[in-house]
Amino acid sequence: DGGITQSPKYLFRKEGQNVTLSCEQNLNHDAMYWYRQDPGQGLRLIYYSQIVNDFQKGDIAEGYSVSREKKESFPLTVTSAQKNPTAFYLCASSNPSGGAKDTQYFGPGTRLTVL
Amino acid sequence: RKEVEQDPGPFNVPEGATVAFNCTYSNSASQSFFWYRQDCRKEPKLLMSVYSSGNEDGRFTAQLNRASQYISLLIRDSKLSDSATYLCVVKPNAGNNRKLIWGLGTSLGVNP
């Protein structure tokens, strides 16, 4: 089945540690996105990538880093510089050259808790 | 003014009721519009895109009013399974920028 997978589903981290969240898609989509969602808040864009080897900062990129070495993969690293990392992290992808070019499809998310 | 605004609700309705949500957007040049549904502690899922002429998918009808800069979602014959948060989403720019602006969502509870 085609889709987006994120792992792990739940992640606990000690303060001061870096952690990497995985996002893989087999939809052959060019564009991929990382969002975070906090209780009572909307989705906020962290980083996005429209093509392999290229990515752009979103609205809240500080304390995060990404890479896009393969079309299928867009891992997100939450660094110790991120002051409030506990959140629900969502990865999405879209197919800019397709008919529904702006529609984003989401993975199941990773809940990160910093202890 | 927020770029995308929704009434947070909650809307609590009985099964079988008709309920409508509105969403306003600030950028008159906005290009694409969507309604997503998000269940508690799950990822958002596309409910429907919103087209200029309005569109219907079963019990769900979406409409766009460009002059007043709002989109609406109408749910007829509500089911218990419709209980969720409904997110209004807008693409504010033309061109290759694929960024979307997400509303905070409207919470719907359908009661037996």
Short mmCIF file of all heavy atoms in Angstrom, two decimals, chain A residues 27-28 64 105:
data_model
loop_
_atom_site.label_atom_id
_atom_site.label_comp_id
_atom_site.label_asym_id
_atom_site.label_seq_id
_atom_site.Cartn_x
_atom_site.Cartn_y
_atom_site.Cartn_z
N LEU A 27 4.89 7.30 -2.07
CA LEU A 27 3.88 7.87 -2.97
C LEU A 27 4.51 8.53 -4.19
O LEU A 27 3.79 9.06 -5.04
CB LEU A 27 3.04 8.91 -2.19
CG LEU A 27 2.29 8.37 -0.98
CD1 LEU A 27 1.74 9.51 -0.13
CD2 LEU A 27 1.16 7.44 -1.43
N ASN A 28 5.83 8.53 -4.24
CA ASN A 28 6.56 9.19 -5.31
C ASN A 28 6.30 10.70 -5.34
O ASN A 28 6.32 11.33 -6.41
CB ASN A 28 6.24 8.58 -6.68
CG ASN A 28 7.32 8.88 -7.72
OD1 ASN A 28 8.50 9.00 -7.39
ND2 ASN A 28 6.91 9.04 -8.96
N TYR A 64 15.61 23.04 15.01
CA TYR A 64 15.36 21.84 14.20
C TYR A 64 16.32 21.82 13.02
O TYR A 64 16.79 22.85 12.57
CB TYR A 64 13.93 21.85 13.66
CG TYR A 64 12.84 21.84 14.70
CD1 TYR A 64 12.22 23.02 15.09
CD2 TYR A 64 12.43 20.65 15.30
CE1 TYR A 64 11.21 23.03 16.03
CE2 TYR A 64 11.43 20.65 16.25
CZ TYR A 64 10.83 21.84 16.62
OH TYR A 64 9.83 21.84 17.56
N TYR A 105 -0.76 14.94 2.25
CA TYR A 105 -1.14 13.68 2.89
C TYR A 105 -0.19 13.44 4.06
O TYR A 105 1.02 13.63 3.92
CB TYR A 105 -1.06 12.53 1.88
CG TYR A 105 -1.99 12.75 0.70
CD1 TYR A 105 -1.53 13.40 -0.44
CD2 TYR A 105 -3.31 12.34 0.76
CE1 TYR A 105 -2.38 13.62 -1.52
CE2 TYR A 105 -4.17 12.56 -0.32
CZ TYR A 105 -3.69 13.20 -1.45
OH TYR A 105 -4.54 13.43 -2.50
#
